[in-house]
Amino acid sequence: METPEKTASRPIDFIRQIIADDLRTGKHRTTVTRFPPEPNGFLHIGHAKSICLNFGIALENNGVCHLRFDDTNPSKEEVAYVESIMRDVRWLGFDWHDKLFYASDYFPALHDYALQLIRLGKAYVCELSAEAIREYRGTLTEPGRESPWRNRSVEENLHLFERMKTGEFEEGSHVLRAKIDMASPNLNLRDPVIYRILKVPHHRTGDTWCIYPMYDYTHCLSDAIEGITHSLCTLEFEDHRPLYDWVLDTLQTPCHPQQIEFARLNLTFTVMSKRKLLQLVKEGYVDGWDDPRMLTISGLRRRGYTPAAIRNFCHEIGLGKRESWIDMTVLENAVRDDLNATAPRVMCVLDPVKVVIDNYPEEQVEEMEAVNHPQDPAMGSRMLPFSRELHIERADFMENPPAKFHRLGPGREVRLRYGYLITCTSVVKDEDGTIREIHCTYDPATRGGSTPDGRKVKGTIHWVSARHALPCQVRLYDRLFVAENPEADKDINFKQHLNPHSRICIEAAMAEPSLTDLAAGTQVQFERQGYFCADTVDSQPGKPVFNRIVTLRDTWAKTQQKIN
RNA sequence: UGGGGGAUGGUCUAAUGGUAAGGCGGCGGACUCUGACUCCGCUUAUCGGGGUUCGAAUCCCUGUCCCCCAGCCA
């Protein structure tokens, strides 16, 4: 990992406690964990929690963490997803070394185990239709009924299963089921289907198979084959643990990993399910999986989030078993924290209005030195051209400012950061009343923004020289949803809570000229505005396009709200 | 209403029979050439009712509320 984690004092979570106990008692010498995504979509911030957990445990215990694709349903899976997942895990800063696996690698072994199950009398080929199986399963309160095919002979089952494999039967006509207990109060144990016929080519095994194993059967065996010590998953699989254990207890497997469940991540003002994210992409509400408003890993990356920020976030939120909602501000804070330390400061005027310094020589240009980071001198400094005509932020001027307004107004003095102190003398307006020019005078004794006479100036504002400014496109991103929980009301479609202002494009912001050749993907702080990143897709050489990652904390905006 | 989980300030996480702690948020203040950063202060909690105990968030009983499960998805 390139960045050391924040040493936040957080007690270890219940999973790490279990692991520490297992290590201490000698149950295990080391840890083998795994991150097992299904390649049917892009990874999102919720997956990051699991990635940081599993790979983090490996790092902490000198163990290993496998990356295993759970690719047992070829009708939903694609290589493109495999590639994006590998990229995202690497980008987050984790390394699976040579431990890259696919559940599909185990199809032959899984098939052998199925044969074993049949020979044990613990699995049978069932010819009930999908609907019939559902009916036979019973309900939450009533037991199920046994399938009429449940008591076939081992030989017949073997023969039928072979015929399923060779493609003799149609999809849906036959399945292989584990023979457990149709009366079990746990529905997962009512003879679950473990193999189904799917005449679909697989992205890795091609046409080799037309029967594919189900998750519950595959996952535990894959874990056992790989020698996983702790198999960590989310709460909804708690009910599946008895089945996980049944398969491994019934078959003679090399080991029996322990499944431990934890609560998935819920974040306010977003949706997390792959299905809903896919819907946003497919229906064009966002520009793709990597739209900077998406909380996918690729979206966060394009937005400008750093891997360290995401890792710190995953660490800060903790781990437990209760359903919890993490406030979006916690994520936003994590980037602010990281970028505050690492992002160079620059100036960019988002909503420009012209300032003319009447007593400044017409053709004169001065080079003003500006430090790149006020708390980190090692980041050096740069020179900013200063001239008679500048751009400042429209919001930094008010004709009739309220008491606490520390910025420019008629007769008021303000500091131009690293520039001069200027005082507003007059204003030029259009017919419609919008301000076109602000006229000022400057104090030559305040070069660089200093006050040799020691006078205090409340306000310091950012600016760029009009002649030297780099016009650029800036996208102001905000949260995608306006509702804290867009899925809360089942009668209201989550898309009705989309934020209509989640992206505001500014076509001609004015940036300081040093930004001209900023490399795409680089994060900077626009002073007094927020953290921005040169977009990796739309930036051109010499013509960067900026994404707002997150605003700076803005206490002025808060007090302003209170005034109104 | 069967089974499996869960309930600690606004929110997230600790305390593993012995002073209910910390982060985030919020509020107030200090500092400041970013109304940023940093620093300081404040605020608010053990789901209810019984019991065991010198002592209970923790153990027992009981009640309430919330989440998950009836895919040939994972």
Side-chain angles (χ1 to χ4, degrees):
Chain A
M1 252 176 271
E2 69 279 7
T3 322
E5 302 298 338
K6 262 178 62 181
T7 49
S9 53
R10 152 140 271 147
I12 69 167
D13 55 75
F14 77 103
I15 290 180
R16 278 179 245 253
Q17 280 180 37
I18 292 170
I19 289 175
D21 286 348
D22 289 347
L23 258 16
R24 187 173 40 74
T25 60
K27 181 177 176 187
H28 297 295
R29 289 227 179 107
T30 181
T31 60
V32 184
T33 47
R34 100 271 93 109
F35 173 62
E38 182 188 13
N40 69 343
F42 280 60
L43 260 28
H44 54 64
I45 185 73
H47 294 107
K49 177 177 179 180
S50 173
I51 292 168
C52 290
L53 211 214
N54 283 291
F55 281 94
I57 285 168
L59 252 18
E60 292 154 24
N61 298 294
N62 234 307
V64 290
C65 180
H66 299 182
L67 174 61
R68 181 172 73 231
F69 288 97
D70 228 331
D71 54 351
T72 57
N73 185 356
S75 60
K76 288 186 176 176
E77 297 151 9
E78 295 174 20
V79 266
Y81 293 131
V82 170
E83 284 157 8
S84 80
I85 289 167
M86 293 200 282
R87 181 184 183 200
D88 289 347
V89 174
R90 267 194 219 104
W91 179 76
L92 278 171
F94 298 105
D95 189 351
W96 53 86
H97 302 283
D98 60 340
K99 306 299 184 188
L100 172 64
F101 303 106
Y102 296 82
S104 54
D105 290 344
Y106 309 136
F107 284 171
L110 261 14
H111 179 259
D112 286 350
Y113 276 123
L115 260 21
Q116 209 177 307
L117 230 34
I118 293 172
R119 289 197 193 96
L120 254 21
K122 300 288 192 181
Y124 62 96
V125 172
C126 182
E127 294 177 42
L128 252 24
S129 67
E131 308 83 80
I133 286 183
R134 196 184 316 127
E135 283 165 28
Y136 273 73
R137 187 153 32 224
T139 67
L140 294 178
T141 50
E142 306 158 55
R145 282 144 49 216
E146 296 189 349
S147 162
W149 313 103
R150 197 173 198 257
N151 295 307
R152 295 206 228 239
S153 69
V154 168
E155 292 65 36
E156 197 182 358
N157 280 318
L158 250 14
H159 184 60
L160 253 15
F161 188 49
E162 175 63 18
R163 291 172 68 191
M164 280 173 65
K165 191 181 81 163
T166 54
E168 255 185 70
F169 301 131
E170 290 309 303
E171 275 186 24
S173 65
H174 294 68
V175 291
L176 185 70
R177 293 228 252 165
K179 192 195 277 190
I180 308 180
D181 178 8
M182 288 310 290
S184 171
N186 181 341
L187 300 241
N188 295 121
L189 262 20
R190 319 245 261 230
D191 290 9
V193 172
I194 58 175
Y195 264 94
R196 79 288 215 189
I197 299 168
L198 246 33
K199 295 193 172 171
V200 176
H202 186 279
H203 62 100
R204 298 198 85 234
T205 61
D207 296 320
T208 310
W209 299 89
C210 64
I211 53 170
Y212 293 93
M214 299 282 291
Y215 166 84
D216 284 307
Y217 174 74
T218 307
H219 202 84
C220 52
L221 287 169
S222 303
D223 281 348
I225 290 167
E226 292 177 18
I228 300 297
T229 55
H230 303 271
S231 182
L232 314 179
C233 61
T234 42
L235 253 29
E236 68 269 27
F237 292 102
E238 216 150 15
D239 278 349
H240 296 240
R241 183 161 16 103
L243 179 51
Y244 184 105
D245 290 332
W246 181 89
V247 172
L248 296 185
D249 287 341
T250 305
L251 291 163
Q252 297 303 309
T253 54
C255 65
H256 190 142
Q258 181 183 2
Q259 175 178 305
I260 309 171
E261 308 85 12
F262 62 91
R264 62 167 355 110
L265 170 66
N266 292 299
L267 255 189
T268 57
F269 299 102
T270 190
V271 296
M272 208 68 91
S273 86
K274 274 192 208 172
R275 212 192 94 249
K276 292 200 169 83
L277 294 177
L278 181 65
Q279 211 178 330
L280 293 174
V281 172
K282 288 224 162 129
E283 295 173 15
Y285 291 98
V286 293
D287 289 342
W289 284 101
D290 70 341
D291 185 297
R293 291 165 294 183
M294 293 278 275
L295 290 190
T296 50
I297 304 299
S298 50
L300 289 164
R301 174 170 56 231
R302 187 167 170 198
R303 175 86 167 251
Y305 271 71
T306 58
I310 294 172
R311 278 186 252 121
N312 288 337
F313 168 76
C314 290
H315 182 248
E316 279 167 23
I317 57 176
L319 192 68
K321 289 198 70 157
R322 52 184 128 158
E323 188 194 352
S324 59
W325 284 83
I326 305 293
D327 201 291
M328 181 67 90
T329 57
V330 177
L331 214 212
E332 294 171 345
N333 253 327
V335 233
R336 286 196 186 104
D337 259 19
D338 186 46
L339 261 17
N340 177 47
T342 58
R345 271 69 214 222
V346 295
M347 294 200 282
C348 178
V349 177
L350 299 179
D351 184 15
V353 62
K354 189 177 276 186
V355 163
V356 181
I357 303 171
D358 294 314
N359 61 341
Y360 194 86
E362 198 101 21
E363 291 307 316
Q364 183 171 314
V365 177
E366 286 182 89
E367 294 286 320
M368 311 302 244
E369 186 178 16
V371 300
N372 293 330
H373 195 296
Q375 279 83 38
D376 185 3
M379 290 179 76
S381 64
R382 65 197 188 281
M383 302 309 280
L384 299 172
F386 185 94
S387 65
R388 188 171 190 264
E389 297 197 354
L390 314 169
H391 294 296
I392 67 164
E393 212 67 64
R394 194 166 280 277
D396 283 339
F397 179 86
M398 277 186 95
E399 261 195 301
N400 300 298
K404 288 181 181 169
F405 191 77
H406 295 164
R407 308 172 187 182
L408 202 56
R412 290 183 175 228
E413 185 175 54
V414 82
R415 171 186 290 115
L416 296 174
R417 186 132 161 105
Y418 306 121
Y420 285 101
L421 267 58
I422 57 171
T423 303
C424 172
T425 51
S426 64
V427 171
V428 179
K429 292 186 191 172
D430 281 339
E431 308 79 56
D432 65 358
T434 55
I435 293 165
R436 184 207 296 261
E437 280 181 3
I438 300 166
H439 284 260
C440 297
T441 57
Y442 83 114
D443 178 354
T446 59
R447 190 175 197 280
S450 60
T451 51
D453 60 354
R455 71 177 184 273
K456 295 286 180 201
V457 189
K458 275 268 178 62
T460 299
I461 64 173
H462 59 284
W463 55 275
V464 291
S465 166
R467 266 161 66 193
H468 305 88
L470 168 72
C472 56
Q473 191 188 111
V474 176
R475 297 152 180 172
L476 304 181
Y477 290 112
D478 199 355
R479 25 189 86 158
L480 233 200
F481 293 91
V482 288
E484 196 159 64
N485 177 6
E487 299 164 289
D489 191 337
K490 296 205 166 40
D491 297 328
I492 299 176
N493 190 293
F494 74 103
K495 288 177 285 186
Q496 297 197 353
H497 299 297
L498 280 162
N499 177 5
H501 310 298
S502 62
R503 179 176 62 195
I504 295 170
C505 287
I506 295 175
E507 294 306 327
M510 294 292 175
E512 62 170 73
S514 75
L515 257 35
T516 309
D517 297 311
L518 190 73
T522 310
Q523 293 90 349
V524 292
Q525 183 195 96
F526 288 176
E527 291 209 32
R528 306 209 304 132
Q529 296 286 357
Y531 296 96
F532 292 75
C533 178
D535 189 76
T536 48
V537 175
D538 297 319
S539 292
Q540 302 287 325
K543 214 174 177 323
V545 171
F546 291 99
N547 298 329
R548 183 171 70 193
I549 306 164
V550 67
T551 61
L552 253 33
R553 269 200 199 83
D554 192 350
T555 49
W556 166 241
K558 269 184 215 163
T559 57
Q560 215 174 12
Q561 271 177 12
K562 271 181 258 172
I563 292 169
N564 296 340

